[in-house]
Amino acid sequence: EVQLVQSGAEVKKPGESLQISCKGSGYSFDDYWVGWVRQMSGKGLELMGIIRPADSDTRYSPSFQGQVTISADKSISTVYLQWTSLRASDTAMYYCARGGQLIRSHFDPWGQGTLVTVAS
Amino acid sequence: DIQMTQSPSSLSASAGDRVTITCRASQTISGYLNWYQQKPGKGPKLLIGAASSLQSGIPSRFSGSGSGTDYTLTISGLRPEDFATYYCQQSYNTPYTFGQGTKVE
């Protein structure tokens, strides 16, 4: 079974750093793009960026370029989303999702989501 | 960026109804259009890829069509478990963008 399992919920203060993770299993992890999607409370889906674990080729959405870092460790089939200085506006649910082997593909399956809360 | 405009943003329907949701792209996306269902407290679930390709395990009452800039998701015979929010997404050009969602209630 193809599965993405995300790390647990986080509560942080503004200015703190954070890294959340997404571990893939049941497929050839290196070969498939993985995306990170933000969903703020009661709002829609926003793609933050995608990464191909085989060579860490990463494409950021302009709104998130420079705000977060997406990385991968293919030795442990894990993709990361990292902030160096969190803001209250980063409070959201974050999903990872598997893309295709080719870049133009849908996302399936999705991880269970990681809730990030940033509050003083 | 390619803008995706979904309509309506919400709709009221009853079990058994035929529901149609449309999605318009700001430029041609050549069929690279995907539909997702999201239920409260859950992650999105892929229903249809490449405009009309029904994913494995998805009931046949869901169907997708369209080309160029205009696409449609149809639910033929709405069931109680179909009350959810539906999103379209283009995967033609990065950054892949989503529609704003349609809540079926």
Side-chain angles (χ1 to χ4, degrees), chain B residues 1-2 4 12-13 17 25-26 29-30 34 36 39 41 45 48 50 56 59 61 63 65-66 74 77 93-94 98 103:
Chain B
D1 298 4
I2 297 175
M4 304 301 294
S12 181
D17 286 353
S26 58
I29 54 174
S30 300
N34 312 304
Y36 302 88
K39 295 183 178 180
K45 178 181 179 181
I48 290 170
S56 175
R61 63 182 179 273
S63 64
S65 64
T74 300
N93 270 350
T94 57
F98 292 89
K103 187 173 184 179

Side-chain angles (χ1 to χ4, degrees), chain A residues 37 39 43-47 50 59-63 93 95 102-112, chain B residues 1 32 34 36 38 41-46 49-50 55 87 89 91-100:
Chain A
V37 175
Q39 187 169 40
K43 302 298 184 183
L45 304 171
E46 303 172 272
L47 180 68
I50 55 174
R59 317 285 175 91
Y60 291 96
S61 297
S63 300
M93 181 70 82
Y95 294 99
L102 301 177
I103 194 168
R104 283 177 166 172
S105 183
H106 48 256
F107 289 118
D108 181 54
W110 293 58
Q112 82 277 20
Chain B
D1 298 4
Y32 290 94
N34 312 304
Y36 302 88
Q38 187 178 31
K42 301 289 187 181
K45 178 181 179 181
L46 178 69
Q55 297 304 293
Y87 294 93
Q89 179 228 353
S91 52
Y92 181 68
N93 270 350
T94 57
Y96 302 151
T97 41
F98 292 89
Q100 76 275 24

Side-chain angles (χ1 to χ4, degrees), chain B residues 22-104:
Chain B
T22 63
C23 188
R24 172 166 287 177
S26 58
Q27 66 181 74
T28 184
I29 54 174
S30 300
Y32 290 94
L33 190 285
N34 312 304
W35 290 99
Y36 302 88
Q37 177 194 66
Q38 187 178 31
K39 295 183 178 180
K42 301 289 187 181
K45 178 181 179 181
L46 178 69
L47 300 176
I48 290 170
S52 60
S53 179
L54 190 68
Q55 297 304 293
S56 175
I58 302 301
S60 59
R61 63 182 179 273
F62 291 93
S63 64
S65 64
S67 63
T69 61
D70 296 322
Y71 299 85
T72 300
L73 172 70
T74 300
I75 310 172
S76 301
L78 196 67
R79 292 182 60 89
E81 60 266 34
D82 300 335
F83 289 92
T85 301
Y86 294 84
Y87 294 93
C88 63
Q89 179 228 353
Q90 64 84 15
S91 52
Y92 181 68
N93 270 350
T94 57
Y96 302 151
T97 41
F98 292 89
Q100 76 275 24
T102 296
K103 187 173 184 179
V104 177

Side-chain angles (χ1 to χ4, degrees), chain A residues 2-25:
Chain A
V2 176
Q3 201 172 6
L4 296 176
V5 177
Q6 298 183 227
S7 51
E10 301 274 1
V11 179
K12 291 288 189 179
K13 291 179 168 31
E16 292 186 331
S17 63
L18 175 64
Q19 180 174 270
I20 61 176
S21 66
C22 168
K23 183 175 176 63
S25 62

